[in-house]
Amino acid sequence: MCAVHQPNFLPRLSTVAKLAAADVWVVLDDVQFSRRDYQHRARLGPVDGTGPARWLSVPTHLPAGRSTLIRDARTVDAPRSIRRLEHVLRRHYGVSPFWPRLAADLLGLLTLFRRTDRTAHVAEASTLLLLRVLGWSGATVRSSTLSAGSGRTQRLVDLCRAVGADTYLCGTGGSRYVEPDLFTAGRVELRQFSVPSTGVWAGARQVSALHSLMVHGPDKVKAVLEMV
């Protein structure tokens, strides 16, 4: 099974669940970067359930303006970014009983800013961090290394075939535009994927999966994901 998704910074639980259900994640890094999307930012939900969620953003420069591809977006002022991101994460989730268990990996992620200036690499690494915490052992392949058609749906079919997948996991967003007939013609099963909205899944489509990990703990979230 294959999931195709843009690299998101500390992605939402609905996204993590879809990727965790796949054997291969094709990291969609060669499409246009969008500042309104989640490639460089995440919403952090409050641990105690009160108060608003807040945005945590990776300062990002787009060398080609609005036409910049995700893979070409650049991080800005690494030392300052590291300090700010660490401050926000500690202040927002330091009160969680699960912070000590996750802090080393989260703060270790920030050191990546010193080794790369690609926002996509940081976002991809943050997603893999969450997936590994939840026990995922699948493979990742960047779409920029694969050959695929230009049509929206045909591209997904071609990416699946390029990694040897016979099933495509389609999230709620993708289900609005995909053309099922093209999957049938390409001999790839189109499988819809969605998550509940209560319990651990509350806010799964709005806030980072980090929220559920900090509120419920990795073991409980992992157990719930295995039932989807």
Side-chain angles (χ1 to χ4, degrees):
M1 289 193 291
C2 173
V4 180
H5 205 280
Q6 300 164 2
N8 286 180
F9 181 61
L10 296 173
R12 296 165 292 169
L13 185 58
S14 57
T15 299
V16 171
K18 182 181 73 172
L19 300 181
D23 301 299
V24 181
W25 169 28
V26 175
V27 184
L28 193 62
D29 67 342
D30 56 354
V31 295
Q32 185 176 327
F33 183 95
S34 172
R35 287 198 181 276
R36 294 186 176 184
D37 213 326
Y38 295 89
Q39 292 125 32
H40 71 307
R41 61 181 188 164
R43 290 183 72 200
L44 307 181
V47 173
D48 62 3
T50 63
R54 68 161 297 170
W55 286 104
L56 178 65
S57 301
V58 176
T60 296
H61 169 63
L62 305 182
R66 294 180 62 182
S67 62
T68 302
L69 299 181
I70 290 174
R71 68 186 181 193
D72 297 325
R74 298 293 201 274
T75 59
V76 177
D77 194 351
R80 184 182 179 194
S81 295
I82 291 171
R83 290 194 301 271
R84 180 178 176 278
L85 293 172
E86 179 176 353
H87 172 75
V88 172
L89 287 170
R90 283 187 182 277
R91 182 164 184 173
H92 204 80
Y93 288 127
V95 297
S96 165
F98 303 104
W99 170 259
R101 182 171 172 182
L102 298 168
D105 286 338
L106 282 172
L107 301 182
L109 170 70
L110 301 183
T111 66
L112 188 59
F113 282 87
R114 298 192 182 98
R115 305 195 299 275
T116 179
D117 67 346
R118 305 278 179 152
T119 300
H121 292 177
V122 175
E124 180 182 336
S126 76
T127 302
L128 288 173
L129 185 158
L130 298 180
L131 286 168
R132 302 307 185 200
V133 165
L134 296 170
W136 188 69
S137 58
T140 58
V141 182
R142 292 172 184 163
S143 60
S144 56
T145 68
L146 304 172
S147 177
S150 58
R152 211 170 186 184
T153 298
Q154 189 60 53
R155 179 174 174 77
L156 295 175
V157 174
D158 291 346
L159 290 172
C160 287
R161 292 177 62 85
V163 297
D166 58 13
T167 303
Y168 172 68
L169 291 177
C170 182
T172 54
S175 63
R176 294 193 293 267
Y177 67 81
V178 294
E179 302 173 65
D181 290 349
L182 293 181
F183 280 94
T184 301
R187 296 192 294 278
V188 176
E189 178 188 350
L190 176 62
R191 185 174 301 179
Q192 301 295 332
F193 184 90
S194 62
V195 298
S197 57
T198 59
V200 170
W201 300 104
R205 297 182 181 87
Q206 287 80 42
V207 297
S208 169
L210 196 53
H211 171 70
S212 290
L213 289 170
M214 290 295 183
V215 172
H216 303 286
D219 295 337
K220 184 171 182 178
V221 176
K222 180 180 179 181
V224 169
L225 255 65
E226 291 173 349
M227 294 187 292
V228 175

